[in-house]
């Protein structure tokens, strides 16, 4: 169970990684979101954005209280089918927090350069796309600066 909204225990981090792998599983050569080590990025974003911090805390708290997980020795002890069933219970019973949690997972996943490469997105700055932007040329204002003012002083 988290100590506070953005601080997870080591056990929580293992559970978070397992949950992230269920939400975004491995595809071809790219591992799942948890196996990629993105739990730390999720925790970091949750620490910066209150909405995600609260959703992460609520989901982790709920998973630690899930009866089947407690009976079996924790979420990590469940098989994949049981883990999915536990997540479905959360999705139905706390949809707002669960949706925000899923958004958090997607944000950190699709921010990773390995994912960009896999899906063909170009990483890095949006501009200048490798093109050099010429230095500002003040001569473009010469014609305008020669015009007489067309406004009235008030």
């Amino acid at each position: 169970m988290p100590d506070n909204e953005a601080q997870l225990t080591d056990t929580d981090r293992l559970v978070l990684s397992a949950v992230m792998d269920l939400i975004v599983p491995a595809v071809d050569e790219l591992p799942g979101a948890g196996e990629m080590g993105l739990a730390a990025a999720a925790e970091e974003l949750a620490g910066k954005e209150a909405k995600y911090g609260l959703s992460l805390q609520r989901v982790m708290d709920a998973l630690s209280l899930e009866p089947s997980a407690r009976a079996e020795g924790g979420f990590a002890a469940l098989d994949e089918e049981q883990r999915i069933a536990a997540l479905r219970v959360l999705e139905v019973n706390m949809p707002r927090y669960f949706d925000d949690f899923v958004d958090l997972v997607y944000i950190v996943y699709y921010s990773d350069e390995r994912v960009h490469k896999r899906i063909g997105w170009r990483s890095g700055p949006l501009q200048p796309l490798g093109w050099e932007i010429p230095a500002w040329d003040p001569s473009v204002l010469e014609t305008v600066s020669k015009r007489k003012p067309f406004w009235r002083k008030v």
Side-chain angles (χ1 to χ4, degrees):
M1 200 175 322
D3 296 308
N4 63 40
E5 289 180 322
Q7 198 66 25
L8 300 179
T9 66
D10 290 339
T11 303
D12 289 329
R13 289 182 184 101
L14 292 173
V15 170
L16 176 57
S17 291
V19 171
M20 291 176 76
D21 280 339
L22 291 173
I23 293 172
V24 183
V27 58
D28 297 332
E29 77 288 346
L30 191 65
E35 195 177 341
M36 289 174 68
L38 297 177
E43 185 177 3
E44 181 181 342
L45 180 56
K48 292 177 183 175
E49 294 290 332
K51 171 174 116 170
Y52 298 125
L54 183 58
S55 68
L56 177 60
Q57 178 187 23
R58 294 288 169 92
V59 167
M60 297 307 295
D61 284 346
L63 287 173
S64 71
L65 298 172
E66 167 62 29
S68 62
R70 293 177 65 134
E72 297 291 329
F75 188 83
L78 300 176
D79 64 31
E80 185 173 334
E81 188 176 305
Q82 292 170 314
R83 289 178 181 186
I84 291 170
L87 289 179
R88 286 195 174 123
V89 169
L90 297 184
E91 183 177 20
V92 168
N93 291 301
M94 42 191 292
R96 186 182 109 212
Y97 297 118
F98 188 80
D99 288 348
D100 288 346
F101 175 77
V102 171
D103 287 348
L104 170 66
V105 173
Y106 286 159
I107 289 168
V108 298
Y109 181 76
Y110 285 105
S111 296
D112 190 274
E113 289 186 18
R114 294 168 289 184
V115 176
H116 294 181
K117 183 178 177 182
R118 167 74 172 80
I119 62 177
W121 283 0
R122 185 185 58 79
S123 292
L126 298 177
Q127 278 292 12
L129 292 176
W131 298 305
E132 190 142 339
I133 298 175
W136 172 251
D137 180 7
S139 68
V140 298
L141 296 177
E142 282 181 25
T143 304
V144 173
S145 64
K146 292 178 184 174
R147 292 179 66 183
K148 291 183 181 180
F150 54 87
W151 59 87
R152 290 182 300 175
K153 289 190 178 185
V154 178

